[in-house]
Amino acid sequence: MDKRFDAVIIGGGILGTFHAYHALELGLKVCLVEKDAYPKGATTQNFGQVVPSGMNTKWQKFGRESLRIYKEVQSQFDISIRQNGTVYLASNEEEEQLLVELRAINSGNDYTSKMLTKQECLEKYPGLRKNYVVAGLFFPQEVTVEPRTMIHKLQEYLVAQKGLDIKFDFPVVSCESDGEWVTVQNTKSEVVYGKKVIICNGADFKNLYPETFASSNLEVSKLQMMQTKPQENYELKGSILTGWSIRRYEAFHECPSFARIKANEPKQSLQKKWGVHILFKQAADGSVILGDSHQYADAAKIEDLGYDLDVDIDNFMIEEAKKIIDLPTYQIQKRWYGMYSQCKNSDIFQKTIDDNIHIVTGIGGKGMTGSAGFSKKNIASIFNKQKINL
């Protein structure tokens, strides 16, 4: 009976782990299985920015619930959460207009934000170039995490304090339902049994239900990022998002001026070609993570994205970053890319194979911010609990 669980979650990334978290909160017996020795997908290959402010109205509700959950866990166990806020930096009057409009939207949603003058931005963010910034919008409630360690700490907390059973090195190759139990089998013919199985497979589309993913509207985004050497005697607090982020993030799509401003943008540029917007976030060791870029391929053609880092993209991002913030050093100690899956025409991919097997993936760039809140509602739905209002 130790192999039988109310819920088996396949995939140890942020989306799978928070599905496990909320199943445990319902008092269920839960097993989380992960194909690798530890999670190493998009959950660990990102900035570690939790920014509900960048989401549309629907997903901001999930993001704000995520903030509450992150802070609640952090109060009991250190998972690297730092509440140091998010700022959007406008570089011209059009971007400033979008900030003013977003602030009005968030005021109506009862989500705290504060406009910053150019001088306030320069005082708050050392090294910020005065010929770049014209204004800022600050969200004080938002947090950052250390992406390469947070998921491990969260899982440690769930095992030690919530009774989660985790099995690493457990690559699942089949899920077979007999109507009562789902048999989950790995490559070594080891099995666990679940009343419900939830598959949070990220961008892994070849092991389970490959035909489902090949015919889906899923695509994969490849994002290049870099990390500087530690900055001496320098502190850059929170998540720093800049003008191109303002022109990209879904929250701004709801602003009255957005369509007009986007229509007037140049159609061809290296920034457009590579999907670049410039972000900064200082890690716990004083280094600064910066990037990123976006290149896309259909789920069935992930290999088209290649396995190399494009140095031209990195160099372009560094030169653009230097126009925004004068860091003590732009010497790079690490370069990498992350891969995440997303839907072309919906906000997440969900498919029920039968009543007891549920696929949930394609959360895109919303994963770190939205997973905790979304998973709460999804677990309640799967287990037919009463409706949860966020």
Side-chain angles (χ1 to χ4, degrees):
M1 292 301 293
D2 60 334
K3 292 185 178 181
R4 296 184 182 272
F5 299 88
D6 298 307
V8 174
I9 316 294
I10 299 174
I14 193 73
L15 189 59
T17 300
F18 271 117
H19 272 82
Y21 171 93
H22 290 296
L24 291 164
E25 290 293 283
L26 292 180
L28 303 176
K29 184 181 179 184
V30 182
C31 180
L32 178 68
V33 301
E34 162 58 40
K35 64 182 177 62
D36 296 314
Y38 49 86
K40 57 183 183 181
T43 295
T44 64
Q45 298 166 345
N46 65 82
F47 279 80
Q49 297 176 326
V50 183
V51 287
S53 56
M55 293 175 152
N56 63 27
T57 299
K58 172 186 174 181
W59 277 87
Q60 189 187 96
K61 293 178 181 178
F62 293 134
R64 290 167 67 174
E65 178 65 9
S66 294
L67 279 181
R68 186 195 66 76
I69 293 164
Y70 276 125
K71 293 173 184 178
E72 180 179 309
V73 174
Q74 180 67 29
S75 71
Q76 303 173 52
F77 193 93
D78 182 11
I79 59 170
S80 82
I81 303 298
R82 289 181 289 168
Q83 184 175 336
N84 37 28
T86 297
V87 70
Y88 296 84
L89 300 173
S91 67
N92 57 38
E93 290 182 357
E94 287 184 334
E95 292 161 5
E96 183 179 13
Q97 178 64 29
L98 291 174
L99 294 186
V100 171
E101 292 173 1
L102 185 66
R103 184 178 185 277
I105 290 171
N106 280 284
S107 178
N109 293 338
D110 196 28
Y111 192 47
T112 302
S113 63
K114 179 181 185 296
M115 287 295 298
L116 302 178
T117 65
K118 175 174 183 168
Q119 188 58 38
E120 287 173 325
C121 291
L122 292 170
E123 291 172 358
K124 189 174 179 65
Y125 301 101
L128 179 58
R129 291 189 176 275
K130 63 182 180 181
N131 63 347
Y132 178 83
V133 67
V134 300
L137 182 61
F138 181 64
F139 291 84
Q141 299 176 28
E142 298 187 346
V143 305
T144 59
V145 308
E146 295 302 300
R148 299 203 176 188
T149 59
M150 188 279 290
I151 193 67
H152 309 292
K153 293 182 176 183
L154 177 60
Q155 291 173 351
E156 181 184 347
Y157 163 75
L158 295 180
V159 170
Q161 299 194 24
K162 300 293 185 178
L164 177 64
D165 190 327
I166 297 186
K167 300 184 186 300
F168 294 108
D169 284 319
F170 200 100
V172 176
V173 292
S174 72
C175 296
E176 299 292 339
S177 177
D178 64 7
E180 182 179 4
W181 292 96
V182 180
T183 302
V184 178
Q185 181 173 307
N186 70 6
T187 52
K188 305 170 191 174
S189 297
E190 298 169 333
V191 297
V192 292
Y193 305 93
K195 286 285 189 182
K196 301 282 187 183
V197 171
I198 303 166
I199 301 169
C200 301
N201 52 305
D204 178 13
F205 300 129
K206 294 188 175 181
N207 290 320
L208 286 173
Y209 307 106
E211 68 288 346
T212 296
F213 298 117
S215 62
S216 72
N217 66 346
L218 282 162
E219 63 181 358
V220 176
S221 179
K222 177 182 179 181
L223 305 87
Q224 291 189 195
M225 290 157 275
M226 295 164 279
Q227 189 168 7
T228 71
K229 292 186 176 181
Q231 310 285 331
E232 292 188 13
N233 302 314
Y234 178 82
E235 186 177 22
L236 188 65
K237 291 184 178 180
S239 299
I240 317 298
L241 299 96
T242 62
W244 286 343
S245 307
I246 293 169
R247 295 169 180 270
R248 180 181 182 90
Y249 274 22
E250 291 181 355
F252 295 95
H253 296 193
E254 299 179 346
C255 294
S257 299
F258 181 81
R260 173 183 57 80
I261 289 171
K262 289 295 286 186
N264 292 332
E265 289 181 353
K267 304 302 181 189
Q268 301 294 327
S269 67
L270 290 178
Q271 183 256 330
K272 295 282 189 184
K273 176 183 177 181
W274 292 324
V276 170
H277 65 134
I278 304 298
L279 314 174
F280 301 83
K281 181 237 168 175
Q282 191 165 35
D285 68 354
S287 62
V288 171
I289 302 173
L290 60 91
D292 57 2
S293 60
H294 299 77
Q295 296 169 289
Y296 301 95
D298 289 343
K301 298 180 178 180
I302 295 176
E303 287 82 1
D304 289 354
L305 291 170
Y307 299 101
D308 298 319
L309 287 168
D310 188 324
V311 176
D312 287 339
I313 296 177
D314 278 4
N315 290 341
F316 175 74
M317 292 192 293
I318 290 171
E319 290 308 308
E320 293 301 320
K322 287 178 177 178
K323 297 175 184 177
I324 302 170
I325 297 179
D326 184 17
L327 296 175
T329 179
Y330 269 94
Q331 284 188 289
I332 303 299
Q333 65 173 343
K334 293 178 183 176
R335 302 172 188 264
W336 70 94
Y337 66 81
M339 295 267 204
Y340 66 62
S341 63
Q342 64 182 26
C343 293
K344 294 178 183 178
N345 52 19
S346 58
D347 50 12
I348 194 166
F349 182 85
Q350 293 182 269
K351 186 174 181 64
T352 298
I353 301 299
D354 67 19
D355 288 342
N356 298 323
I357 303 173
H358 305 269
I359 299 173
V360 189
T361 191
I363 197 171
K366 305 183 293 294
M368 190 62 75
T369 301
S371 290
F374 171 80
S375 299
K376 179 179 180 179
K377 184 173 183 179
N378 198 43
I379 281 290
S381 174
I382 288 171
F383 286 92
N384 297 314
K385 299 300 179 181
Q386 64 184 25
K387 182 178 179 182
I388 293 177
N389 294 314
L390 297 179

